[in-house]
Amino acid sequence: MKMTGKILFFNANDGVGIIIVSTKKKLSFHVKEWNDFDIMPSLGLDVTFIYKNESVTAIYIINETSATSREEAPNKTQNREEPTQKSIPQEDVYQDNFEEEEEEEFQQKVTQDQNDNFNIIDDIEDDIGPREESVTLTLNLSMAVENYFETIEKSINTRIKHLSSQNNLDYLKMKRFLWTTFNNLNEIDLHIITPKIKSISDDLRQMATIFNDFTRKTKYPPLAYEEVFLSCQAEYMKIKIGTEKTIERLNSLRGNEAKIGSALKVKKSDLQKNIHTEEFAILNTELKSLNGTYVDIVHMMAELDERYKNDKALLVEFEKEYRDDFYSIFNKSAVKYKVDLVKILNSLAYILDSYLWRKAKTSKSVKVHFHKAGIHGEFNTKTYLKYFLDTQDSERASKETKLLFELYEYLSALEKDCIMVLTDSVEDAMEFEGSISMVDKKYMVKAFIDEKSALKWGIQNTVKVLVLNDTLSKIRVSTFLSYYKTYILAIPKIIILGNNQKNHSYSISKLLSKNISPRVLAQHVKELLTTKK
């Protein structure tokens, strides 16, 4: 049976396509059945074909057939007074003998296409929803802002201990080089990232993500307004999504309008050229159908454009109504949270940095790597950063490298050199601290009689000279130095007052009398400070 349809899909790679007929049935075909060799199959072409035993054969383009007939007809009738059946190309035989059933199918297809076009507005109403005259508030301003900051407050409360920490590193200055150090040390020795360090780094990343989102919203208030308040308004969002769908439909219709407009010009030209030919009636029917479709599209575009303008006006009015009040409430809430977020980040940055280098100090792989690279000094971020900056020209450095030079200055300012005294006598501790403090005001001097307190202070500060009595309150000197080497990165010069003890974890710089005067001890400390290690 001969049928007509439209190409719905065609894959040029495998030659397989689909034709849809007026009954909406979809039929598969292969390019080998294509009989119009001047034009390849493409989406939207109207075709006629033979459908038998569920197979599509003998496919022709309806319009192209007409064009071929117009080109060949004058040549074939040129030497004849009257055209005969033989003067009509074989492709046009079907047009002259258009069966009643097929003509009915053709008309049904045209009618169905028009009905489909008319139904687009109804489809949009179902998809987008009925037109609204106003936008109802779903969640008030205070509640929307409170919901956003509730998550931040929970994150702060679970890390409340960091707010009172005295040990901090400026995370915003440190973050780039801190994560670079983290990754580099992990590459040198996979065992450096212990479960403890992994947990600290994950916690820091999580807080950094919260802070980055917070900063983004406080820096760009319109963004905060959209994400914190407008996104919570159900009716507003429904209309907004509807306007986006309307724009998509409009763009699609504009494309169809342009294509059909061009096709109409061609059809009108064809109709004028074929007024006295057998295919005039078919061309005229096609033109009327195409013109009707064009008019429908123009009408639908006008309807959609009017709907879009109405909905857009509602959105703009709603946004304007609450914007200023939102900015005021949001900014007031943001101020009190920013300080706490920064404190937590700085505390976690210090902890991660400390744990990283404490572990790196015990790694043979890191020691070998630093030795081969010529990295000398204490195992810390400042030393590692200095190694990189020594290869850079500060005057010609890039913007990012200049920030690293600023970071080095920041770390240098934090690292105040210290002198620590540990003895078993409160009187000696006070006298030694007072005398040594007079040596150089740029050094911080701290005396202890409790070994545990001394270790905690040493972890937090860079001790250049360590003065130890040969007898301590609770443990032996060798044991204390073993702990010191394990937990403290800085390597000090050591003065022991009394007898030299074996099996020290460090070499002893000076061995002095236990009864030495505070003034003389201060002179020996000064000598060590002015002598290069």
Side-chain angles (χ1 to χ4, degrees):
M1 180 178 66
K2 292 180 181 179
M3 298 181 68
T4 59
K6 185 185 292 290
I7 294 180
L8 181 65
F9 165 80
F10 180 69
N11 188 339
N13 293 325
D14 57 14
V16 175
I18 296 174
I19 297 173
I20 185 169
V21 297
S22 59
T23 59
K24 301 302 180 183
K25 185 176 182 180
K26 299 173 184 176
L27 308 175
S28 298
F29 72 91
H30 194 275
V31 72
K32 66 181 180 179
E33 300 298 335
W34 189 260
N35 288 346
D36 277 299
F37 304 107
D38 292 332
I39 297 179
M40 288 296 292
S42 62
L43 182 65
L45 286 179
D46 292 319
V47 295
T48 178
F49 56 91
I50 302 298
Y51 186 63
K52 185 177 181 181
N53 297 329
E54 297 187 354
S55 297
V56 174
T57 60
I59 309 170
Y60 292 94
I61 303 174
I62 293 176
N63 295 342
E64 183 64 20
T65 301
S66 299
T68 303
S69 174
R70 291 193 301 272
E71 292 174 0
E72 295 183 358
N75 294 329
K76 291 184 177 292
T77 60
Q78 184 175 347
N79 298 322
R80 294 177 177 83
E81 294 180 358
E82 295 182 1
T84 63
Q85 180 66 29
K86 294 182 179 179
S87 66
I88 302 175
Q90 185 62 37
E91 295 89 332
D92 290 343
V93 174
Y94 165 65
Q95 301 293 352
D96 292 337
N97 298 284
F98 203 95
E99 296 178 5
E100 292 182 1
E101 179 184 353
E102 293 165 346
E103 184 172 1
E104 183 179 351
E105 289 181 359
F106 179 79
Q107 293 300 331
Q108 288 176 352
K109 176 181 179 299
V110 172
T111 303
Q112 184 64 48
D113 287 343
Q114 292 175 334
N115 290 338
D116 289 344
N117 290 328
F118 283 126
N119 288 335
I120 288 180
I121 297 296
D122 295 333
D123 292 341
I124 291 174
E125 289 287 341
D126 294 337
D127 192 16
I128 300 175
R131 179 178 300 186
E132 301 291 345
E133 298 301 326
S134 62
V135 185
T136 303
L137 190 69
T138 305
L139 193 66
N140 64 46
L141 285 169
S142 299
M143 187 63 69
V145 174
E146 184 179 330
N147 287 348
Y148 171 72
F149 284 110
E150 183 179 358
T151 302
I152 293 178
E153 189 168 356
K154 287 180 180 178
S155 299
I156 291 174
N157 289 338
T158 57
R159 301 167 178 84
I160 198 74
K161 63 179 181 180
H162 295 293
L163 297 180
S164 57
S165 174
Q166 299 299 315
N167 302 315
N168 300 286
L169 282 175
D170 191 327
Y171 175 74
L172 299 182
K173 291 181 182 293
M174 288 282 299
K175 61 180 180 179
R176 177 170 171 255
F177 196 74
L178 177 61
W179 292 118
T180 297
T181 302
F182 180 92
N183 294 330
N184 289 351
L185 291 177
N186 186 39
E187 289 180 4
I188 296 170
D189 186 351
L190 295 176
H191 297 94
I192 281 184
I193 310 302
T194 62
K196 177 68 174 179
I197 292 176
K198 179 67 165 56
S199 176
I200 296 170
S201 66
D202 289 345
D203 198 21
L204 179 56
R205 290 183 195 276
Q206 183 179 353
M207 285 305 299
T209 299
I210 293 172
F211 180 76
N212 290 340
D213 180 74
F214 170 84
T215 302
R216 189 171 62 98
K217 287 181 169 61
T218 53
K219 186 176 181 181
Y220 304 104
L223 182 66
Y225 185 49
E226 180 180 343
E227 294 184 357
V228 175
F229 177 69
L230 294 178
S231 64
C232 299
Q233 309 305 318
E235 194 167 309
Y236 169 89
M237 291 304 298
K238 181 180 179 181
I239 295 175
K240 184 177 181 180
I241 293 171
T243 60
E244 294 171 355
K245 291 180 178 179
T246 301
I247 285 294
E248 290 178 3
R249 299 288 179 88
L250 272 171
N251 290 334
S252 176
L253 288 172
R254 288 189 182 107
N256 290 336
E257 179 198 21
K259 293 178 181 178
I260 295 177
S262 299
L264 275 173
K265 293 180 181 179
V266 175
K267 289 288 184 183
K268 289 177 180 178
S269 177
D270 289 347
L271 192 65
Q272 292 176 356
K273 294 178 182 179
N274 290 272
I275 292 177
H276 302 295
T277 65
E278 293 84 351
E279 56 186 76
F280 176 81
I282 295 176
L283 289 173
N284 191 42
T285 301
E286 292 176 355
L287 179 62
K288 289 180 179 179
S289 173
L290 195 61
N291 190 63
T293 302
Y294 182 81
V295 171
D296 293 341
I297 287 177
V298 172
H299 171 71
M300 284 185 284
M301 288 173 58
E303 289 278 343
L304 289 175
D305 187 60
E306 196 276 331
R307 169 66 183 265
Y308 171 77
K309 290 177 180 178
N310 175 79
D311 290 351
K312 190 65 176 177
L314 289 177
L315 297 177
V316 171
E317 183 180 354
F318 183 84
E319 293 166 6
K320 184 178 179 181
E321 181 177 358
Y322 298 99
R323 183 182 289 110
D324 292 340
D325 290 339
F326 172 84
Y327 289 166
S328 177
I329 296 174
F330 185 83
N331 291 336
K332 287 179 182 178
S333 299
V335 170
K336 69 176 183 178
Y337 289 108
K338 183 176 181 180
V339 175
D340 289 347
L341 287 172
V342 171
K343 282 184 179 180
I344 292 173
L345 286 173
N346 292 349
S347 175
L348 288 171
Y350 176 86
I351 294 172
L352 178 60
D353 182 77
S354 300
Y355 271 86
L356 272 175
W357 288 110
R358 191 179 302 170
K359 186 64 178 175
K361 185 180 178 182
T362 64
S363 169
K364 292 182 179 179
S365 298
V366 173
K367 290 179 180 178
V368 170
H369 177 82
F370 275 37
H371 179 72
K372 289 182 178 180
I375 304 175
H376 305 291
E378 300 168 9
F379 278 61
N380 58 27
T381 300
K382 180 185 172 184
T383 300
Y384 195 42
L385 179 57
K386 186 177 186 301
Y387 161 71
F388 170 76
L389 293 178
D390 284 343
T391 64
Q392 304 296 312
D393 185 344
S394 59
E395 295 182 358
R396 299 180 180 179
S398 64
K399 183 179 179 180
E400 290 185 350
T401 304
K402 287 181 179 179
L403 291 176
L404 293 179
F405 277 103
E406 293 177 6
L407 174 61
Y408 183 78
E409 293 177 2
Y410 164 75
L411 293 174
S412 299
L414 287 179
E415 193 179 83
K416 187 173 183 179
D417 294 334
C418 303
I419 301 167
M420 185 166 71
V421 177
L422 179 59
T423 179
D424 59 348
S425 167
V426 175
E427 183 180 352
D428 287 346
M430 296 177 61
E431 290 182 353
F432 289 158
E433 181 177 320
S435 296
I436 297 173
S437 296
M438 304 301 293
V439 171
D440 194 328
K441 294 297 182 182
K442 72 178 182 181
Y443 291 97
M444 180 188 296
V445 182
K446 187 73 173 178
F448 296 90
I449 60 171
D450 178 71
E451 297 90 334
K452 187 175 181 180
S453 298
L455 285 172
K456 287 184 176 180
W457 192 80
I459 290 173
Q460 300 169 8
N461 299 277
T462 302
V463 178
K464 291 296 183 180
V465 177
L466 173 61
V467 179
L468 287 171
N469 201 339
D470 64 350
T471 55
L472 302 177
S473 299
K474 299 177 181 178
I475 58 177
R476 291 181 299 175
V477 171
S478 59
T479 303
F480 174 82
L481 289 176
S482 178
Y483 283 127
Y484 193 98
K485 185 173 184 179
T486 300
Y487 295 105
I488 299 176
L489 300 178
I491 302 175
K493 295 179 180 180
I494 300 175
I495 297 176
I496 289 188
L497 304 178
N499 296 322
N500 185 17
Q501 301 183 26
K502 298 181 179 179
N503 299 322
H504 288 321
S505 298
Y506 296 101
S507 60
I508 306 303
S509 302
K510 285 181 178 289
L511 179 63
L512 303 176
S513 170
K514 195 171 185 177
N515 298 320
I516 193 171
S517 68
R519 183 181 62 80
V520 175
L521 175 61
Q523 290 298 319
H524 282 285
V525 170
K526 184 175 182 179
E527 289 178 9
L528 289 180
L529 291 174
T530 56
T531 302
K532 292 184 178 180
K533 194 170 182 178

